Amino acid sequence: MNKIRFAANKDTNYVFHMLSTAKCGYDNEYGAKYREIYPPEDLSVIKKNEDLLTVCGGQHCGILFGIIVSQPACAYVSAKEYYSGLIQLGNDIINGNIPDNIESALIPYTEIIIEISEIMVKHYDYYIENIWESEKKKIEQYIPELLDLFERSSFTEKAERLVGNLENEYFIATLVTSVAGGAEAINISNEQDMFCIEKTYTDAFYFIGHEFIIFLLIKAPGNIDAFFETWDLTEGLAEYYLKKIMGDTKLFNEQQKYVRFYEELSNSQSLSALELYEAAAEHFIDNKIYS
């Protein structure tokens, strides 16, 4: 049974729509198309906090990315409701009513959180009423052929046999229209990643397949700790398993030296994902071999 499901969610799309129009992590035709709708002073608030709000492929994660971007993008409640709650939380903190569950590292950013949240609440209704339906249609037209590739290939069954079982019932690929040329495959919850639809179906199939394997790896027996400094090894390991399933790889060319290392190692012995990873860490990191 295919364990990848695709979602077109208005709230996920709204969060990244606003980042794109503000050139916050994304600078593309989509953002340019909608940028003039919004007051420049609102977009500048988002843009000036770019470092706090963005992530970059295992190398950088802004301290406000979780609370401002990934949590509302999960869409457990509407983005408008979520950001309204953040405004209330921020005002409570300013008034000295600090909840026990608030991360202390976030408290110095309270005013920024309020300011950005007010902007996100302000423009939500316009997006839903005037933009979302046209963007939703693009996603809904994109999904069937991509889903068919996963259904026909038995990809997830093959990946689970090689790596281990998916922790959740499904891996949810939440599709957005606004992030071409910037960070995607962003883990926004324990069961879903965000992907752009601006790819050929074949490239999207390989890319989402790679990320599905990443999800399996981080929950593999013994748990592979994908620290930022060793993330390339984890990406390379995902490509190694992708190649075993597909016969080739397409999109992560810079990781091929790790794929070759894993292939050579597995030719002589049968090793688990964790054992392969640990051997690569010893070879490339401990011995400081980076190329």
Side-chain angles (χ1 to χ4, degrees), residues 31 54 82 114 121 127 148 219 223 262:
T54 55
Y82 177 87
I114 293 173
V121 169
Y127 174 83
D148 186 58
K219 300 298 181 182
N223 187 19
Y262 292 128

Side-chain angles (χ1 to χ4, degrees), residues 6 9 14 17 22 41 53-54 62-63 72 124 129-130 137 148 154 156 168 171 189 204 216 233 245 257 271:
F6 294 94
N9 186 279
Y14 174 65
H17 164 87
E41 60 270 22
L53 298 173
T54 55
I63 193 169
Y124 180 82
E129 294 168 7
N130 298 283
K137 287 179 183 177
D148 186 58
S154 300
T156 63
N168 302 297
F171 171 90
S189 80
L216 298 183
L233 303 184
I245 296 168
K257 60 180 177 289
L271 297 174

Side-chain angles (χ1 to χ4, degrees), residues 153-155 158-160 162 213 240-248:
S153 67
S154 300
F155 180 90
K158 294 173 183 177
E160 286 188 306
L162 286 171
I213 294 171
Y240 161 76
Y241 284 114
L242 184 66
K243 187 175 180 180
K244 287 178 73 72
I245 296 168
M246 301 298 297
D248 62 357

